[in-house]
Amino acid sequence: MAFGPTVALDDVALTVERGQVHALLGENGSGKSTLIKILAGYHRPDPGGRVLVAGRALSFGNPVNAASLGCRFVHQDLGLVDTLSVAENLFLTSGFPARWGTIRWARLLRAARDDLARVGLDLDPRQPVAGLSPAVRTGLAVARALRPGAGNVALLVLDEPTATLPDDEVRQLLATVRAAAATGAGVLYVTHHLDEVFDIADVATVLRDGRVVASSAVPDLTRTRLVNQLLGSELDEAHASSQALPPPRANAVLRVHDLAAGQLRSLSLQVRAGELVGIAGLTGSGRESALAAVFGAVHPEGGDVLVDSTPLRPGHPRRAIDAGVAYLPADRKAHGGIMSLPAAANLTLPDLRALWRPPMLRLGAERVEARSWFSRLDVRPAGAVHLPLAALSGGNQQKVLLAKWLRCRPRVLLLDEPTQGVDIGAKAQIHQRIVAAADDGAAVVVSSADVDELVALCHRVVVLRGGHAVADLSGPALSVPAVNRAALAAER
Ligand SMILES: Nc1ncnc2c1ncn2[C@@H]1O[C@H](COP(=O)(O)OP(=O)(O)OP(=O)(O)O)[C@@H](O)[C@H]1O
Ligand SMILES: [Mg+2]
């Protein structure tokens, strides 16, 4: 299957056995989501290929057929409709319970509660999906895929379901996936997290440039072997992620005082120029709303944010941008990028000044600049700045959205889940770029569900619990177990 000059998949063959978890791995842009979209009936492959589900041939380009053969999907972008409620989203793909043309709401809500409970979600099914955190949205998409009313599940496919989930929720999701396999379904599981492969997978297949480069029984694999299959070369993972951080400067650039918004009850924080500060915390700790509140993307219920000595006006992100604040949100589809616009336009959107010669936008200059950012962050396909953002793979979209803010050389850089969905090689590259921005004088705050990432990347990590900062760890006190202890303590 090809998109213009890009061959996304080439002669791929794999078998997912009943009751087994089959991990599918590969660098950003290697073809994983394309394969899944073919199974789901979204893309039609070139003639010649075939797919059998429990012995029956899948008819390509036909989502209804895929569903009726028992295929269920949790897509990379989750496929939820923001303007609908939780319950409506649950029934979107399987049809609403109705009698004489009328939707039976009471029944629907009861069933929705059961579906949510099955994956451990305690959520009001009438709530709109728009306000939910990435972790809860993932849970909802999984609950929908496992709805019993939709018939037997023969094949469950999950495309990077854990990209923004904290550890404890990853464990819960893995347990749900294992349970689905135990009922006899085959599971195809896409991830960039190698630990998960060793945790739940029976078989691991690795794609590179649209081809299968290896398929191995997991008991026969080592981590190093798997990394070599992925990258086609030796990469010392530890070396790639650990680096000396430049020392922060003396002056505080960002001052946050007693900020409250959503689950965040009170956050006070000072970040110096050149300093990298991490925000850790479980889902519900306030971590997910912290940076949006600092930026002013959500209306805070109280508190102040100052950049240098200028107060930002809550609810006015434009003011924050003018004051030199950049914010990369966790949800790239809903808030991050404009999927239908070219990657180049997405890159230059927040600051067009250099490209603006009234009355014209210098599109040639825009492309040149976008190309240079593509090469700095190794966005693939290389130089394809004219492609709409939607045509880039998930990890490559993430790189474009990060580049868009790095390009503004912000005074304050707020990053929510900056490496979600990027492969292990690209993660180290992105970390280097973030450190370079700090070295350039930015005050950087990173919120991440990935504690390893925070500890590797930050001078200091603030841990939230119950909406409050309960620890501020740096120097020798900063370690993964210390952050986890602070995030969990007294919660049970
Ligand atoms: N609609 C499209 N139009 C053009 N090219 C596309 C389209 N969809 C995917 N591609 C290209 O196909 C290739 C494979 O993309 P795919 O999304 O399958 O990668 P992936 O393995 O899922 O990567 P990631 O880990 O980043 O999610 C990429 O080069 C991508 O840019
Ligand atoms: Mg993908």
Side-chain angles (χ1 to χ4, degrees):
M1 149 124 227
F3 301 100
T6 308
V7 177
L9 287 178
D10 191 7
D11 201 16
V12 167
L14 63 82
T15 305
V16 181
E17 304 280 352
R18 271 186 187 284
Q20 288 205 336
V21 179
H22 191 127
L24 181 63
L25 299 106
E27 294 185 276
N28 294 134
S30 55
K32 304 179 298 294
S33 296
T34 303
L35 175 61
I36 286 167
K37 287 175 185 165
I38 290 174
L39 297 177
Y42 183 82
H43 288 317
R44 251 176 222 281
D46 296 341
R50 61 189 187 118
V51 173
L52 299 174
V53 181
R56 293 194 287 165
L58 180 76
S59 112
F60 291 127
N62 183 347
V64 175
N65 174 252
S68 69
L69 293 183
C71 304
R72 303 281 178 274
F73 299 88
V74 176
H75 288 289
Q76 191 163 14
D77 63 12
L78 301 180
L80 301 174
V81 181
D82 263 1
T83 48
L84 296 181
S85 70
V86 165
E88 287 164 324
N89 267 283
L90 277 169
F91 287 84
L92 204 57
T93 47
S94 54
F96 292 80
R99 189 158 58 184
W100 298 313
T102 311
I103 294 176
R104 305 176 69 188
W105 286 103
R107 208 161 129 185
L108 182 138
L109 289 177
R110 230 176 310 131
R113 283 202 185 88
D114 291 346
D115 294 341
L116 295 169
R118 197 168 302 115
V119 298
L121 273 185
D122 178 16
L123 202 62
D124 181 352
R126 288 163 301 188
Q127 200 174 329
V129 160
L132 302 178
S133 73
V136 175
R137 298 167 79 96
T138 305
L140 176 56
V142 174
R144 178 168 74 187
L146 295 176
R147 287 210 63 242
N152 271 346
V153 182
L155 176 69
L156 174 64
V157 181
L158 302 106
D159 195 352
E160 295 186 41
T162 57
T164 59
L165 295 191
D167 265 1
D168 56 324
E169 289 178 43
V170 171
R171 272 194 292 278
Q172 191 180 331
L173 179 85
L174 295 184
T176 309
V177 169
R178 250 188 234 113
T183 64
V187 179
L188 186 60
Y189 186 92
V190 178
T191 187
H192 292 294
H193 299 149
L194 306 190
D195 294 340
E196 292 168 15
V197 175
F198 292 98
D199 245 8
I200 58 160
D202 302 290
V203 180
T205 293
V206 176
L207 292 182
R208 196 179 322 133
D209 297 331
R211 291 168 167 271
V212 173
V213 291
S215 196
S216 337
V218 171
D220 299 339
L221 271 178
T222 62
R223 210 181 154 91
T224 319
R225 205 115 42 24
L226 189 54
V227 170
N228 288 347
Q229 293 176 355
L230 274 165
L231 301 182
S233 63
E234 304 274 334
L235 170 102
D236 184 347
E237 266 191 284
H239 173 76
S241 61
S242 70
Q243 53 193 321
L245 297 176
R249 327 276 151 83
N251 55 321
V253 174
L254 175 70
R255 289 188 178 81
V256 177
H257 180 67
D258 202 15
L259 189 67
Q263 284 162 320
L264 186 70
R265 298 319 312 150
S266 168
L267 175 67
S268 296
L269 190 68
Q270 294 211 359
V271 187
R272 296 184 280 161
E275 191 175 25
L276 294 138
V277 175
I279 308 261
L282 304 179
T283 300
S285 64
R287 175 179 56 80
E288 301 122 288
S289 45
L291 295 189
V294 172
F295 183 63
V298 297
H299 257 289
E301 287 135 41
D304 311 294
V305 179
L306 286 92
V307 174
D308 297 317
S309 351
T310 316
L312 300 186
R313 255 178 68 203
H316 287 76
R318 190 67 241 179
R319 281 272 289 256
I321 294 173
D322 290 342
V325 184
Y327 169 49
L328 176 73
D331 186 345
R332 66 177 164 248
K333 190 148 192 228
H335 314 288
I338 303 174
M339 292 292 157
S340 56
L341 278 186
N346 270 283
L347 249 163
T348 53
L349 206 55
D351 187 2
L352 290 168
R353 276 170 295 192
L355 302 168
W356 183 248
R357 188 180 295 148
M360 305 275 278
L361 192 60
R362 295 159 57 219
L363 290 176
E366 179 180 75
R367 288 211 169 168
V368 169
E369 207 183 324
R371 272 200 203 96
S372 111
W373 279 104
F374 261 52
S375 80
R376 263 180 264 185
L377 284 173
D378 194 18
V379 181
R380 293 182 209 172
V385 299
H386 55 280
L387 284 183
L389 197 58
L392 296 187
S393 80
N396 285 299
Q397 288 174 10
Q398 182 67 15
K399 292 189 208 175
V400 169
L401 297 177
L402 179 70
K404 131 175 149 177
W405 294 116
L406 291 174
R407 173 183 168 266
C408 297
R409 301 193 58 192
R411 308 258 308 126
V412 175
L413 183 56
L414 308 172
L415 303 170
D416 240 335
E417 307 290 352
T419 57
Q420 59 171 300
V422 307
D423 64 48
I424 51 174
K427 191 167 169 179
Q429 257 172 347
I430 287 183
H431 284 177
Q432 276 163 17
R433 288 286 154 194
I434 296 172
V435 170
D439 199 21
D440 205 22
V444 183
V445 190
V446 183
S447 162
S448 176
D450 179 347
V451 176
D452 291 294
E453 162 159 77
L454 292 177
V455 170
L457 185 61
C458 298
H459 293 107
R460 164 160 94 80
V461 174
V462 173
V463 186
L464 300 183
R465 190 186 341 126
H468 296 268
V470 293
D472 187 339
L473 304 165
S474 60
L478 176 58
S479 67
V480 173
V483 172
N484 284 333
R485 264 198 308 277
L488 284 166
E491 198 124 277
R492 36 200 66 194

PDB file of all heavy atoms in Angstrom, residues 452-480:
ATOM      1  N   ASP A 452      10.193   8.091  34.298  1.00  0.00           N
ATOM      2  CA  ASP A 452      11.578   7.943  33.814  1.00  0.00           C
ATOM      3  C   ASP A 452      11.980   9.151  32.992  1.00  0.00           C
ATOM      4  O   ASP A 452      13.089   9.663  33.099  1.00  0.00           O
ATOM      5  CB  ASP A 452      11.710   6.699  32.917  1.00  0.00           C
ATOM      6  CG  ASP A 452      11.563   5.425  33.710  1.00  0.00           C
ATOM      7  OD1 ASP A 452      12.433   5.166  34.538  1.00  0.00           O
ATOM      8  OD2 ASP A 452      10.561   4.718  33.508  1.00  0.00           O
ATOM      9  N   GLU A 453      11.060   9.589  32.151  1.00  0.00           N
ATOM     10  CA  GLU A 453      11.338  10.746  31.304  1.00  0.00           C
ATOM     11  C   GLU A 453      11.612  11.980  32.154  1.00  0.00           C
ATOM     12  O   GLU A 453      12.578  12.707  31.917  1.00  0.00           O
ATOM     13  CB  GLU A 453      10.129  10.989  30.387  1.00  0.00           C
ATOM     14  CG  GLU A 453      10.107  12.380  29.771  1.00  0.00           C
ATOM     15  CD  GLU A 453       9.245  12.431  28.519  1.00  0.00           C
ATOM     16  OE1 GLU A 453       8.013  12.467  28.671  1.00  0.00           O
ATOM     17  OE2 GLU A 453       9.812  12.419  27.418  1.00  0.00           O
ATOM     18  N   LEU A 454      10.789  12.224  33.157  1.00  0.00           N
ATOM     19  CA  LEU A 454      10.954  13.415  33.997  1.00  0.00           C
ATOM     20  C   LEU A 454      12.292  13.388  34.723  1.00  0.00           C
ATOM     21  O   LEU A 454      12.998  14.386  34.798  1.00  0.00           O
ATOM     22  CB  LEU A 454       9.810  13.517  35.002  1.00  0.00           C
ATOM     23  CG  LEU A 454       8.427  13.803  34.406  1.00  0.00           C
ATOM     24  CD1 LEU A 454       7.368  13.802  35.495  1.00  0.00           C
ATOM     25  CD2 LEU A 454       8.442  15.129  33.663  1.00  0.00           C
ATOM     26  N   VAL A 455      12.630  12.216  35.245  1.00  0.00           N
ATOM     27  CA  VAL A 455      13.869  12.121  36.029  1.00  0.00           C
ATOM     28  C   VAL A 455      15.083  12.295  35.111  1.00  0.00           C
ATOM     29  O   VAL A 455      16.075  12.928  35.483  1.00  0.00           O
ATOM     30  CB  VAL A 455      13.913  10.787  36.805  1.00  0.00           C
ATOM     31  CG1 VAL A 455      15.277  10.545  37.428  1.00  0.00           C
ATOM     32  CG2 VAL A 455      12.827  10.794  37.881  1.00  0.00           C
ATOM     33  N   ALA A 456      14.982  11.790  33.874  1.00  0.00           N
ATOM     34  CA  ALA A 456      16.116  11.915  32.947  1.00  0.00           C
ATOM     35  C   ALA A 456      16.265  13.348  32.438  1.00  0.00           C
ATOM     36  O   ALA A 456      17.366  13.796  32.131  1.00  0.00           O
ATOM     37  CB  ALA A 456      15.928  10.965  31.767  1.00  0.00           C
ATOM     38  N   LEU A 457      15.160  14.071  32.358  1.00  0.00           N
ATOM     39  CA  LEU A 457      15.154  15.337  31.624  1.00  0.00           C
ATOM     40  C   LEU A 457      15.227  16.571  32.513  1.00  0.00           C
ATOM     41  O   LEU A 457      15.610  17.637  32.038  1.00  0.00           O
ATOM     42  CB  LEU A 457      13.861  15.376  30.785  1.00  0.00           C
ATOM     43  CG  LEU A 457      13.635  16.526  29.821  1.00  0.00           C
ATOM     44  CD1 LEU A 457      14.727  16.544  28.759  1.00  0.00           C
ATOM     45  CD2 LEU A 457      12.262  16.408  29.160  1.00  0.00           C
ATOM     46  N   CYS A 458      14.849  16.435  33.795  1.00  0.00           N
ATOM     47  CA  CYS A 458      14.615  17.651  34.593  1.00  0.00           C
ATOM     48  C   CYS A 458      15.624  17.847  35.720  1.00  0.00           C
ATOM     49  O   CYS A 458      16.144  16.895  36.283  1.00  0.00           O
ATOM     50  CB  CYS A 458      13.210  17.605  35.196  1.00  0.00           C
ATOM     51  SG  CYS A 458      11.947  17.583  33.936  1.00  0.00           S
ATOM     52  N   HIS A 459      15.857  19.118  36.070  1.00  0.00           N
ATOM     53  CA  HIS A 459      16.648  19.453  37.242  1.00  0.00           C
ATOM     54  C   HIS A 459      15.872  19.094  38.504  1.00  0.00           C
ATOM     55  O   HIS A 459      16.445  18.738  39.521  1.00  0.00           O
ATOM     56  CB  HIS A 459      16.928  20.965  37.302  1.00  0.00           C
ATOM     57  CG  HIS A 459      17.811  21.477  36.211  1.00  0.00           C
ATOM     58  ND1 HIS A 459      17.344  22.236  35.167  1.00  0.00           N
ATOM     59  CD2 HIS A 459      19.154  21.348  36.010  1.00  0.00           C
ATOM     60  CE1 HIS A 459      18.359  22.554  34.367  1.00  0.00           C
ATOM     61  NE2 HIS A 459      19.453  22.030  34.841  1.00  0.00           N
ATOM     62  N   ARG A 460      14.544  19.231  38.416  1.00  0.00           N
ATOM     63  CA  ARG A 460      13.723  19.187  39.621  1.00  0.00           C
ATOM     64  C   ARG A 460      12.343  18.687  39.198  1.00  0.00           C
ATOM     65  O   ARG A 460      11.880  19.021  38.110  1.00  0.00           O
ATOM     66  CB  ARG A 460      13.712  20.629  40.111  1.00  0.00           C
ATOM     67  CG  ARG A 460      12.767  21.122  41.067  1.00  0.00           C
ATOM     68  CD  ARG A 460      13.400  22.407  41.659  1.00  0.00           C
ATOM     69  NE  ARG A 460      12.970  23.622  40.969  1.00  0.00           N
ATOM     70  CZ  ARG A 460      11.811  24.233  41.188  1.00  0.00           C
ATOM     71  NH1 ARG A 460      10.951  23.738  42.038  1.00  0.00           N
ATOM     72  NH2 ARG A 460      11.511  25.323  40.540  1.00  0.00           N
ATOM     73  N   VAL A 461      11.726  17.889  40.060  1.00  0.00           N
ATOM     74  CA  VAL A 461      10.390  17.366  39.747  1.00  0.00           C
ATOM     75  C   VAL A 461       9.442  17.683  40.900  1.00  0.00           C
ATOM     76  O   VAL A 461       9.725  17.358  42.055  1.00  0.00           O
ATOM     77  CB  VAL A 461      10.424  15.839  39.482  1.00  0.00           C
ATOM     78  CG1 VAL A 461       9.009  15.291  39.306  1.00  0.00           C
ATOM     79  CG2 VAL A 461      11.252  15.527  38.240  1.00  0.00           C
ATOM     80  N   VAL A 462       8.344  18.350  40.560  1.00  0.00           N
ATOM     81  CA  VAL A 462       7.307  18.653  41.537  1.00  0.00           C
ATOM     82  C   VAL A 462       6.239  17.571  41.410  1.00  0.00           C
ATOM     83  O   VAL A 462       5.759  17.297  40.311  1.00  0.00           O
ATOM     84  CB  VAL A 462       6.697  20.044  41.255  1.00  0.00           C
ATOM     85  CG1 VAL A 462       5.493  20.308  42.148  1.00  0.00           C
ATOM     86  CG2 VAL A 462       7.761  21.124  41.422  1.00  0.00           C
ATOM     87  N   VAL A 463       5.892  16.935  42.533  1.00  0.00           N
ATOM     88  CA  VAL A 463       4.923  15.838  42.499  1.00  0.00           C
ATOM     89  C   VAL A 463       3.586  16.336  43.034  1.00  0.00           C
ATOM     90  O   VAL A 463       3.521  16.908  44.128  1.00  0.00           O
ATOM     91  CB  VAL A 463       5.405  14.641  43.344  1.00  0.00           C
ATOM     92  CG1 VAL A 463       4.451  13.461  43.186  1.00  0.00           C
ATOM     93  CG2 VAL A 463       6.819  14.248  42.949  1.00  0.00           C
ATOM     94  N   LEU A 464       2.530  16.130  42.267  1.00  0.00           N
ATOM     95  CA  LEU A 464       1.185  16.531  42.688  1.00  0.00           C
ATOM     96  C   LEU A 464       0.418  15.322  43.221  1.00  0.00           C
ATOM     97  O   LEU A 464       0.560  14.207  42.711  1.00  0.00           O
ATOM     98  CB  LEU A 464       0.410  17.126  41.512  1.00  0.00           C
ATOM     99  CG  LEU A 464       0.981  18.374  40.830  1.00  0.00           C
ATOM    100  CD1 LEU A 464       0.040  18.853  39.739  1.00  0.00           C
ATOM    101  CD2 LEU A 464       1.227  19.479  41.842  1.00  0.00           C
ATOM    102  N   ARG A 465      -0.361  15.601  44.241  1.00  0.00           N
ATOM    103  CA  ARG A 465      -1.284  14.578  44.743  1.00  0.00           C
ATOM    104  C   ARG A 465      -2.495  15.305  45.298  1.00  0.00           C
ATOM    105  O   ARG A 465      -2.335  16.293  46.022  1.00  0.00           O
ATOM    106  CB  ARG A 465      -0.615  13.744  45.843  1.00  0.00           C
ATOM    107  CG  ARG A 465      -1.441  12.521  46.211  1.00  0.00           C
ATOM    108  CD  ARG A 465      -0.924  11.716  47.388  1.00  0.00           C
ATOM    109  NE  ARG A 465       0.449  11.929  47.742  1.00  0.00           N
ATOM    110  CZ  ARG A 465       0.847  12.259  48.976  1.00  0.00           C
ATOM    111  NH1 ARG A 465      -0.020  12.419  49.949  1.00  0.00           N
ATOM    112  NH2 ARG A 465       2.118  12.433  49.244  1.00  0.00           N
ATOM    113  N   GLY A 466      -3.689  14.866  44.928  1.00  0.00           N
ATOM    114  CA  GLY A 466      -4.903  15.503  45.423  1.00  0.00           C
ATOM    115  C   GLY A 466      -4.952  16.993  45.102  1.00  0.00           C
ATOM    116  O   GLY A 466      -5.520  17.777  45.858  1.00  0.00           O
ATOM    117  N   GLY A 467      -4.337  17.402  44.014  1.00  0.00           N
ATOM    118  CA  GLY A 467      -4.421  18.795  43.598  1.00  0.00           C
ATOM    119  C   GLY A 467      -3.363  19.703  44.214  1.00  0.00           C
ATOM    120  O   GLY A 467      -3.319  20.893  43.927  1.00  0.00           O
ATOM    121  N   HIS A 468      -2.500  19.131  45.087  1.00  0.00           N
ATOM    122  CA  HIS A 468      -1.467  19.950  45.733  1.00  0.00           C
ATOM    123  C   HIS A 468      -0.082  19.398  45.430  1.00  0.00           C
ATOM    124  O   HIS A 468       0.075  18.192  45.202  1.00  0.00           O
ATOM    125  CB  HIS A 468      -1.656  19.933  47.251  1.00  0.00           C
ATOM    126  CG  HIS A 468      -2.941  20.553  47.689  1.00  0.00           C
ATOM    127  ND1 HIS A 468      -3.064  21.878  48.015  1.00  0.00           N
ATOM    128  CD2 HIS A 468      -4.179  20.023  47.815  1.00  0.00           C
ATOM    129  CE1 HIS A 468      -4.306  22.145  48.339  1.00  0.00           C
ATOM    130  NE2 HIS A 468      -5.019  21.029  48.215  1.00  0.00           N
ATOM    131  N   ALA A 469       0.928  20.277  45.478  1.00  0.00           N
ATOM    132  CA  ALA A 469       2.307  19.819  45.361  1.00  0.00           C
ATOM    133  C   ALA A 469       2.698  19.184  46.685  1.00  0.00           C
ATOM    134  O   ALA A 469       2.628  19.825  47.729  1.00  0.00           O
ATOM    135  CB  ALA A 469       3.215  20.989  45.031  1.00  0.00           C
ATOM    136  N   VAL A 470       3.090  17.909  46.663  1.00  0.00           N
ATOM    137  CA  VAL A 470       3.453  17.224  47.905  1.00  0.00           C
ATOM    138  C   VAL A 470       4.951  16.960  47.996  1.00  0.00           C
ATOM    139  O   VAL A 470       5.448  16.534  49.032  1.00  0.00           O
ATOM    140  CB  VAL A 470       2.691  15.886  48.076  1.00  0.00           C
ATOM    141  CG1 VAL A 470       1.206  16.157  48.283  1.00  0.00           C
ATOM    142  CG2 VAL A 470       2.905  14.980  46.866  1.00  0.00           C
ATOM    143  N   ALA A 471       5.677  17.176  46.911  1.00  0.00           N
ATOM    144  CA  ALA A 471       7.127  16.990  46.968  1.00  0.00           C
ATOM    145  C   ALA A 471       7.771  17.808  45.865  1.00  0.00           C
ATOM    146  O   ALA A 471       7.153  18.074  44.830  1.00  0.00           O
ATOM    147  CB  ALA A 471       7.481  15.515  46.804  1.00  0.00           C
ATOM    148  N   ASP A 472       9.008  18.227  46.132  1.00  0.00           N
ATOM    149  CA  ASP A 472       9.782  18.982  45.158  1.00  0.00           C
ATOM    150  C   ASP A 472      11.182  18.382  45.239  1.00  0.00           C
ATOM    151  O   ASP A 472      11.935  18.654  46.154  1.00  0.00           O
ATOM    152  CB  ASP A 472       9.759  20.467  45.562  1.00  0.00           C
ATOM    153  CG  ASP A 472      10.401  21.360  44.506  1.00  0.00           C
ATOM    154  OD1 ASP A 472      11.196  20.852  43.692  1.00  0.00           O
ATOM    155  OD2 ASP A 472      10.098  22.572  44.506  1.00  0.00           O
ATOM    156  N   LEU A 473      11.473  17.487  44.294  1.00  0.00           N
ATOM    157  CA  LEU A 473      12.673  16.656  44.409  1.00  0.00           C
ATOM    158  C   LEU A 473      13.739  17.106  43.420  1.00  0.00           C
ATOM    159  O   LEU A 473      13.447  17.342  42.245  1.00  0.00           O
ATOM    160  CB  LEU A 473      12.315  15.194  44.127  1.00  0.00           C
ATOM    161  CG  LEU A 473      11.195  14.613  45.002  1.00  0.00           C
ATOM    162  CD1 LEU A 473      10.670  13.309  44.424  1.00  0.00           C
ATOM    163  CD2 LEU A 473      11.711  14.398  46.422  1.00  0.00           C
ATOM    164  N   SER A 474      14.975  17.223  43.910  1.00  0.00           N
ATOM    165  CA  SER A 474      16.069  17.572  43.008  1.00  0.00           C
ATOM    166  C   SER A 474      17.355  16.953  43.529  1.00  0.00           C
ATOM    167  O   SER A 474      17.379  16.382  44.626  1.00  0.00           O
ATOM    168  CB  SER A 474      16.215  19.092  42.903  1.00  0.00           C
ATOM    169  OG  SER A 474      16.483  19.623  44.184  1.00  0.00           O
ATOM    170  N   GLY A 475      18.407  17.055  42.761  1.00  0.00           N
ATOM    171  CA  GLY A 475      19.723  16.535  43.164  1.00  0.00           C
ATOM    172  C   GLY A 475      19.636  15.063  43.496  1.00  0.00           C
ATOM    173  O   GLY A 475      18.911  14.316  42.830  1.00  0.00           O
ATOM    174  N   PRO A 476      20.337  14.631  44.546  1.00  0.00           N
ATOM    175  CA  PRO A 476      20.362  13.198  44.872  1.00  0.00           C
ATOM    176  C   PRO A 476      19.000  12.687  45.321  1.00  0.00           C
ATOM    177  O   PRO A 476      18.743  11.482  45.266  1.00  0.00           O
ATOM    178  CB  PRO A 476      21.378  13.098  46.019  1.00  0.00           C
ATOM    179  CG  PRO A 476      21.808  14.491  46.352  1.00  0.00           C
ATOM    180  CD  PRO A 476      21.238  15.447  45.370  1.00  0.00           C
ATOM    181  N   ALA A 477      18.091  13.582  45.757  1.00  0.00           N
ATOM    182  CA  ALA A 477      16.767  13.130  46.210  1.00  0.00           C
ATOM    183  C   ALA A 477      15.857  12.778  45.029  1.00  0.00           C
ATOM    184  O   ALA A 477      14.807  12.177  45.202  1.00  0.00           O
ATOM    185  CB  ALA A 477      16.105  14.218  47.045  1.00  0.00           C
ATOM    186  N   LEU A 478      16.282  13.156  43.819  1.00  0.00           N
ATOM    187  CA  LEU A 478      15.433  12.924  42.650  1.00  0.00           C
ATOM    188  C   LEU A 478      15.720  11.552  42.045  1.00  0.00           C
ATOM    189  O   LEU A 478      16.810  11.297  41.543  1.00  0.00           O
ATOM    190  CB  LEU A 478      15.680  14.025  41.601  1.00  0.00           C
ATOM    191  CG  LEU A 478      14.929  13.875  40.274  1.00  0.00           C
ATOM    192  CD1 LEU A 478      13.431  13.814  40.495  1.00  0.00           C
ATOM    193  CD2 LEU A 478      15.283  15.018  39.326  1.00  0.00           C
ATOM    194  N   SER A 479      14.725  10.680  42.132  1.00  0.00           N
ATOM    195  CA  SER A 479      14.863   9.353  41.515  1.00  0.00           C
ATOM    196  C   SER A 479      13.463   8.863  41.163  1.00  0.00           C
ATOM    197  O   SER A 479      12.469   9.379  41.685  1.00  0.00           O
ATOM    198  CB  SER A 479      15.518   8.381  42.496  1.00  0.00           C
ATOM    199  OG  SER A 479      14.640   8.147  43.573  1.00  0.00           O
ATOM    200  N   VAL A 480      13.397   7.857  40.306  1.00  0.00           N
ATOM    201  CA  VAL A 480      12.096   7.321  39.910  1.00  0.00           C
ATOM    202  C   VAL A 480      11.331   6.784  41.120  1.00  0.00           C
ATOM    203  O   VAL A 480      10.156   7.137  41.319  1.00  0.00           O
ATOM    204  CB  VAL A 480      12.260   6.258  38.793  1.00  0.00           C
ATOM    205  CG1 VAL A 480      10.934   5.578  38.492  1.00  0.00           C
ATOM    206  CG2 VAL A 480      12.834   6.902  37.541  1.00  0.00           C
TER     207      VAL A 480
END
